[in-house]
Amino acid sequence: MHDFKYVTRKERAPVKNDLIAIIKRTQNLLRDDLTFRFDFVGSDRRSMVTYAPQTNIGYDFDINLEVNDDDCNYTPEKSNSKLYRR
Protein backbone atom coordinates (compact mmCIF):
# COMPACT_ATOMS: atom_id res chain seq x y z
CA MET A 1 0.00 0.00 0.00
CA HIS A 2 1.27 3.49 -0.88
CA ASP A 3 1.75 6.25 1.67
CA PHE A 4 0.57 9.29 -0.29
CA LYS A 5 1.65 12.81 0.67
CA TYR A 6 0.36 16.18 -0.47
CA VAL A 7 2.63 18.31 -2.66
CA THR A 8 2.86 22.06 -2.13
CA ARG A 9 2.33 24.42 -5.05
CA LYS A 10 5.99 25.41 -4.84
CA GLU A 11 7.13 21.76 -5.03
CA ARG A 12 4.96 20.90 -8.01
CA ALA A 13 5.44 24.17 -9.93
CA PRO A 14 8.48 22.97 -11.96
CA VAL A 15 6.67 19.79 -13.01
CA LYS A 16 3.48 21.66 -13.87
CA ASN A 17 5.50 24.19 -15.90
CA ASP A 18 7.13 21.31 -17.81
CA LEU A 19 3.68 19.86 -18.57
CA ILE A 20 2.44 23.23 -19.78
CA ALA A 21 5.50 23.57 -22.04
CA ILE A 22 4.87 20.10 -23.54
CA ILE A 23 1.21 20.91 -24.15
CA LYS A 24 2.06 24.27 -25.76
CA ARG A 25 4.65 22.62 -28.05
CA THR A 26 1.99 20.11 -29.05
CA GLN A 27 -0.47 22.93 -29.75
CA ASN A 28 2.11 24.60 -32.00
CA LEU A 29 2.79 21.36 -33.88
CA LEU A 30 -0.91 20.75 -34.51
CA ARG A 31 -1.96 24.35 -35.13
CA ASP A 32 -2.42 23.90 -38.92
CA ASP A 33 -4.77 20.94 -38.43
CA LEU A 34 -6.56 21.71 -35.17
CA THR A 35 -6.44 23.78 -32.04
CA PHE A 36 -7.26 22.83 -28.49
CA ARG A 37 -7.41 24.33 -25.05
CA PHE A 38 -6.31 22.78 -21.80
CA ASP A 39 -7.26 23.20 -18.16
CA PHE A 40 -5.83 21.71 -15.01
CA VAL A 41 -8.71 20.15 -13.11
CA GLY A 42 -9.29 17.88 -10.17
CA SER A 43 -6.61 17.71 -7.52
CA ASP A 44 -4.46 20.54 -8.90
CA ARG A 45 -7.36 22.96 -8.97
CA ARG A 46 -8.09 22.12 -5.32
CA SER A 47 -4.38 22.18 -4.33
CA MET A 48 -4.59 18.52 -3.35
CA VAL A 49 -1.95 16.96 -5.63
CA THR A 50 -0.40 13.86 -4.08
CA TYR A 51 2.61 11.63 -4.60
CA ALA A 52 4.04 8.47 -3.06
CA PRO A 53 7.57 9.32 -1.80
CA GLN A 54 8.68 5.64 -1.68
CA THR A 55 7.95 5.14 -5.38
CA ASN A 56 8.59 6.81 -8.70
CA ILE A 57 4.89 7.10 -9.55
CA GLY A 58 4.95 10.90 -9.87
CA TYR A 59 2.37 13.56 -9.17
CA ASP A 60 -1.37 13.25 -9.63
CA PHE A 61 -2.19 15.89 -12.28
CA ASP A 62 -5.48 15.87 -14.16
CA ILE A 63 -5.67 17.88 -17.38
CA ASN A 64 -8.67 18.34 -19.65
CA LEU A 65 -7.94 18.83 -23.35
CA GLU A 66 -10.77 20.30 -25.40
CA VAL A 67 -10.51 20.37 -29.19
CA ASN A 68 -11.81 23.59 -30.76
CA ASP A 69 -13.90 21.94 -33.45
CA ASP A 70 -17.05 23.83 -34.42
CA ASP A 71 -17.72 21.36 -37.24
CA CYS A 72 -17.56 18.32 -34.91
CA ASN A 73 -15.03 16.51 -37.12
CA TYR A 74 -13.13 14.99 -34.22
CA THR A 75 -14.38 12.42 -31.78
CA PRO A 76 -12.53 10.08 -29.41
CA GLU A 77 -13.54 7.16 -31.62
CA LYS A 78 -12.86 8.52 -35.10
CA SER A 79 -10.85 11.19 -36.85
CA ASN A 80 -11.43 12.75 -40.26
CA SER A 81 -7.92 14.20 -40.32
CA LYS A 82 -4.51 13.27 -41.65
CA LEU A 83 -3.19 13.86 -38.10
CA TYR A 84 -3.47 10.21 -37.19
CA ARG A 85 -1.61 9.01 -40.29
CA ARG A 86 1.63 10.80 -39.42
Side-chain angles (χ1 to χ4, degrees):
M1 182 166 188
H2 297 291
D3 180 26
F4 289 97
K5 307 262 186 222
Y6 287 105
V7 183
T8 67
R9 284 183 184 186
K10 185 176 180 179
E11 288 174 309
R12 70 180 184 265
V15 176
K16 184 175 179 176
N17 290 337
D18 287 347
L19 287 170
I20 291 169
I22 291 167
I23 293 168
K24 287 184 176 185
R25 281 195 309 257
T26 304
Q27 285 177 313
N28 287 332
L29 288 170
L30 298 176
R31 190 168 312 281
D32 290 340
D33 296 306
L34 66 87
T35 60
F36 66 90
R37 58 173 284 154
F38 67 95
D39 296 299
F40 283 82
V41 296
S43 56
D44 184 64
R45 181 169 266 176
R46 295 187 306 272
S47 295
M48 297 177 70
V49 175
T50 60
Y51 78 110
Q54 302 83 5
T55 68
N56 192 21
I57 292 176
Y59 297 155
D60 172 29
F61 283 106
D62 298 310
I63 304 170
N64 279 353
L65 302 176
E66 184 177 332
V67 175
N68 298 321
D69 181 25
D70 294 335
D71 297 328
C72 298
N73 291 326
Y74 301 97
T75 67
E77 298 84 25
K78 177 181 166 185
S79 169
N80 296 328
S81 171
K82 63 184 179 216
L83 286 172
Y84 297 96
R85 293 190 297 246
R86 287 185 179 168

